[in-house]
Amino acid sequence: MTRRIAVSGAASGIGKSLAGLLRAHGDDVVGIDLKDAEVCADLGTAAGRSEAVDGVLARTGGALDAVVACAGISAARPATVAVNFFGVTELLAGLRPALATSTTPRAAFVGSIAGTRATVPEVVDACLSGRETAALGAADAAAARGEGNKIYPSSKAALARWMRGVCLTGDWAAAGIPLNAVAPGVVLTPMHAAHAMTEEQRENVDKAVPMPLGGYAEPEVIAHALRWLVGVENTHMTGQVMYVDGGAEAALRGRERF
Ligand code: NAI
């Protein structure tokens, strides 16, 4: 059965790998990205998100079986919140009505092990209450006081909490739509230039994200997990962050929290 699936971030890394995997299995993929995709739009702006939603709906006649939001950036600046949080939640919200046409609708996004790390609470709170200008302002203030490294974790922590808040509502579980996340550790994509790291940088990364099982992951590993989450087999899993991280979450949080 051919499924029609929208994938953001489809031009590179995890999204590109997922789009290729889905197509190899006969699915009809509508890629969304800044360039080199079926729908080109900037998910970092409200106008761009509308363009993305309209573009996907126009190409699919308003009928989708799944949406996977992979697009993201990891810069220590406010744009990371715009792309990673609002670029995911608003894309999913905009395309959700198109999922209602499917007998097996599914949605997923890419979180991160970084979502378990220290955040800027004002950024997370503003995201969760849908105040983008305030969220970007709080991220800007964090960067100015030297806490820019908490912006990316904040965007991913907010996403996981947003998911828990909506996954059981009438829009999602009650409408038969599982909504889940895959949270990777370090993945060998252009975002994470691990190939080009110095010995010292590698040591710091390995301390921050210990991956005793298998080391850094290839993007295909994450793509396979996402494919299952949005596949017809996933009838009963929702609201979960699936850590595909070489054991990083278990190493960092131990037995206290899981
Ligand atoms: P990547 O840089 O290879 O791919 C990201 C894609 O998103 C690119 O094609 C880029 O053009 C697109 N994108 C960025 N900003 C956009 C915007 N404003 N509008 C539309 N598209 C935009 O990175 P990668 O590694 O594939 O990242 C995918 C997701 O995985 C991200 O959400 C990232 O936070 C997450 N992740 C990545 C990890 C890694 O180690 N690579 C680890 C944990 C999470």
Side-chain angles (χ1 to χ4, degrees), residues 132-160:
E132 184 167 2
T133 306
L136 300 194
D140 205 22
R145 62 174 183 267
E147 292 190 17
N149 62 338
K150 294 183 182 170
I151 294 175
Y152 179 72
S154 300
S155 71
K156 297 296 188 177
L159 270 184

Side-chain angles (χ1 to χ4, degrees), residues 9 11-15 33-34 41-44 70-73 83-84 110-112 152 156 184-187 189-192:
S12 177
I14 294 167
D33 211 303
L34 290 168
D42 181 357
L43 295 168
C70 301
I73 56 175
V83 178
N84 293 11
V110 184
S112 172
Y152 179 72
K156 297 296 188 177
V186 177
V187 188
T189 69
M191 173 184 281
H192 213 293

Side-chain angles (χ1 to χ4, degrees), residues 20-70:
L21 183 66
L22 294 170
R23 286 185 178 122
H25 284 82
D27 290 323
D28 179 7
V29 175
V30 181
I32 307 161
D33 211 303
L34 290 168
K35 58 184 174 72
D36 302 328
E38 284 72 27
V39 175
C40 293
D42 181 357
L43 295 168
T45 69
R49 292 168 208 141
S50 295
E51 274 170 38
V53 169
D54 292 348
V56 171
L57 297 181
R59 285 189 72 97
T60 59
L64 279 173
D65 294 293
V67 181
V68 189
C70 301

